[in-house]
Amino acid sequence: MASPAPSLLSTSSQLREVHGRAFNSSVETYLLPADDEEQNRLDLQHNALVCFLGGLFPWPDRVNEALRPRPGYTPGILDIGTAYRQIKDFDSFLYNLAEVLRPGGVLILGSGDPQFYDENVKALPIVSEGQPG
């Protein structure tokens, strides 16, 4: 599935080139490229997750019910884009989420293993570009 987004290289002057790839020059903490090749990789990753989950998110019936408009209630979404596994006090983090979650709300946490495996489920080594691996 092709990305509906226009080419990042053609729409932004906030990019710098490093080893032939475009990187965002206004946000130093985002270390991934910001070019068409990266957008294609993200599209592939998105499509794989949608396939795995069977949709855009797990438990669509629960989520759709929580977001159903009704009199006197305005549904909302709180999207926390964080590596929550790095949070030092995870219990307090969950407690704070529960404090802002409305009655009937749904909390979805996701996690993944950044390790890649071969067909024998043996971990593949992480190597630098150009090195065999």
Side-chain angles (χ1 to χ4, degrees), residues 63 67 75-79 102:
V63 172
L67 295 176
I77 296 174
L78 173 62
D79 182 4
R102 293 181 180 164

Side-chain angles (χ1 to χ4, degrees), residues 16 30 48 52 70 74 102 131-132:
R16 59 181 162 61
Y30 188 77
F52 174 75
R70 45 198 170 269
T74 303
R102 293 181 180 164
Q131 293 182 336

Side-chain angles (χ1 to χ4, degrees), residues 5 20 27 31 37 40 42 51 61 67 74 86 100 110-111 122 127:
V27 181
L31 303 177
E37 184 178 342
N40 291 337
L42 290 170
C51 183
D61 294 340
L67 295 176
T74 303
Q86 297 176 0
V100 299
S111 180
K122 181 180 176 190
V127 297

Side-chain angles (χ1 to χ4, degrees), residues 80 82-94 97:
I80 303 173
T82 182
Y84 66 85
R85 288 172 30 177
Q86 297 176 0
I87 294 174
K88 292 177 178 45
D89 188 354
F90 193 69
D91 288 342
S92 291
F93 174 69
L94 288 177
L97 289 176

Side-chain angles (χ1 to χ4, degrees), residues 22-114:
F23 288 81
N24 187 321
S25 61
S26 62
V27 181
E28 293 184 20
T29 56
Y30 188 77
L31 303 177
L32 294 175
D35 54 15
D36 289 336
E37 184 178 342
E38 177 64 7
Q39 185 62 52
N40 291 337
R41 185 193 70 77
L42 290 170
D43 287 344
L44 180 63
Q45 176 182 323
H46 167 78
N47 291 334
L49 288 170
V50 167
C51 183
F52 174 75
L53 293 172
L56 289 176
F57 45 83
W59 307 291
D61 294 340
R62 298 283 310 268
V63 172
N64 289 330
E65 175 60 25
L67 295 176
R68 179 179 55 84
R70 45 198 170 269
Y73 176 80
T74 303
I77 296 174
L78 173 62
D79 182 4
I80 303 173
T82 182
Y84 66 85
R85 288 172 30 177
Q86 297 176 0
I87 294 174
K88 292 177 178 45
D89 188 354
F90 193 69
D91 288 342
S92 291
F93 174 69
L94 288 177
Y95 179 81
N96 288 328
L97 289 176
E99 285 289 306
V100 299
L101 192 64
R102 293 181 180 164
V106 178
L107 173 63
I108 300 172
L109 299 174
S111 180
D113 185 355

